[in-house]
């Protein structure tokens, strides 16, 4: 490839063999892309032409609901009514960090082709590392990143993110201790860490708080000019 050749976009890198796309409800689209390395699923809430889009991913076992009693579905419905798009990503190969980062990038690429220009990336557990790495790769379009009960492994390059970062972690996480989020915060050189009293890894005990917190934080980040978000990253 010559130096002047255009870079291959994430969706093109997937080598999709076939795709199915149905409208489940007026505000929810279900997309399945059959690639050589597995089936990639997107649940897309809201108008595909929305400029602001939240992209959310699960942990090492995958999943589309997120923690906190279906947090991702709840946010998708709420934001769709407010003009913010949401894509829930079902990985092709769960627990494969580079592959999952590409899956998240493919979701943003799809949204970008439809009019998306600003993205907040959200990941639970292993997905925290996915969101951080995708945020670095897509930094020019990333407005912010949210990690939920994140692992620290795979976040060693978090200092390159330089975007608003919100880390939420259960005080009684039985799988990943709070120090994992503390380590990511340190690696990123800032961000806002909130420890949720009495909450475990799935953050079920803090479900209502999660909905309210992200419902406030995400639109606030979208409202900031992208030129300014790097300078405000340390404060979340």
């Amino acid at each position: 490839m010559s130096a002047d050749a255009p870079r291959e976009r994430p969706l093109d890198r997937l080598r999709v063999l076939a795709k199915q796309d149905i409208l489940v409800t007026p505000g929810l689209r279900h997309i399945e892309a059959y690639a050589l390395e597995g089936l990639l699923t997107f649940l897309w809430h809201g108008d595909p032409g929305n400029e602001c889009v939240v992209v959310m991913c699960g942990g090492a076992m995958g999943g589309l609901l997120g923690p906190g009693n279906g947090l991702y579905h709840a946010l998708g419905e709420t934001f769709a009514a407010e003009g913010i798009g949401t894509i829930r990503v079902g990985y092709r190969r769960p627990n494969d960090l580079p592959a999952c980062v590409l899956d998240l990038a493919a979701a943003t690429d799809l949204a970008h082709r439809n009019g998306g220009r600003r993205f907040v990336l959200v990941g639970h557990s292993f997905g925290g590392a996915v969101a951080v790495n995708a945020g670095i790769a897509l930094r020019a379009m990333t407005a912010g990143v949210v990690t939920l009960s994140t692992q620290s492994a795979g976040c060693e390059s978090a200092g390159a993110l330089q975007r608003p970062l919100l880390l939420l972690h259960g005080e009684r996480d039985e799988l990943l201790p709070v120090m994992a989020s503390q380590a990511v915060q340190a690696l990123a050189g800032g961000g806002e860490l909130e420890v949720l009293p009495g909450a475990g890894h799935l953050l079920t005990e803090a479900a209502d708080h999660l909905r309210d917190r992200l419902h406030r934080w995400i639109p606030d980040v979208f409202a900031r000019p992208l030129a300014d978000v790097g300078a405000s990253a340390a404060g979340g």
Side-chain angles (χ1 to χ4, degrees):
M1 180 180 294
S2 70
D4 297 328
R7 294 182 62 184
E8 194 173 33
R9 296 180 62 158
L11 271 176
D12 300 327
R13 289 178 57 193
L14 289 178
R15 305 290 188 265
V16 174
L17 304 174
K19 180 173 75 72
Q20 293 193 97
D21 181 344
I22 66 166
L23 200 60
V24 180
T25 70
L28 176 61
R29 185 175 298 278
H30 185 157
I31 301 170
E32 291 185 345
Y34 299 88
L36 289 174
E37 295 185 338
L39 174 65
L40 179 60
T41 301
F42 298 143
L43 295 182
W44 195 346
H45 296 263
D47 183 345
N50 284 331
E51 180 178 342
C52 295
V53 183
V54 184
V55 183
M56 302 186 287
C57 60
M61 298 180 71
L64 292 159
L65 287 173
N69 288 333
L71 172 67
Y72 292 173
H73 177 77
L75 289 178
E77 292 200 324
T78 298
F79 284 142
E82 298 174 355
I84 296 174
T86 299
I87 302 178
R88 296 188 266 155
V89 179
Y91 305 129
R92 293 167 299 143
R93 291 161 51 188
N95 207 30
D96 181 326
L97 184 58
C100 294
V101 170
L102 178 57
D103 292 344
L104 220 64
T108 64
D109 186 11
L110 178 62
H112 187 269
R113 294 178 192 217
N114 282 273
R117 292 297 179 266
R118 297 164 58 81
F119 299 90
V120 169
L121 310 177
V122 182
H124 175 242
S125 192
F126 161 82
V130 177
V132 167
N133 282 274
I136 294 168
L138 305 166
R139 184 173 177 272
M141 297 185 295
T142 299
V145 171
V146 178
T147 66
L148 308 166
S149 309
T150 190
Q151 65 181 43
S152 58
C155 295
E156 292 81 7
S157 299
L161 181 60
Q162 297 180 0
R163 287 292 184 262
L165 174 63
L166 176 64
L167 308 103
L168 300 168
H169 211 113
E171 176 189 32
R172 298 184 178 179
D173 193 317
E174 64 279 15
L175 296 180
L176 293 167
V178 172
M179 67 179 65
S181 283
Q182 292 171 334
V184 175
Q185 183 185 36
L187 288 164
E192 181 180 354
L193 170 60
E194 181 179 359
V195 179
L196 305 173
H201 188 66
L202 286 177
L203 304 171
T204 305
E205 301 83 354
D208 291 340
H209 176 72
L210 285 177
R211 286 162 172 73
D212 179 67
R213 186 78 166 88
L214 297 188
H215 183 228
R216 289 182 287 110
W217 192 86
I218 289 173
D220 176 69
V221 167
F222 276 136
R224 306 178 193 177
L226 269 179
D228 297 339
V229 294
S232 62

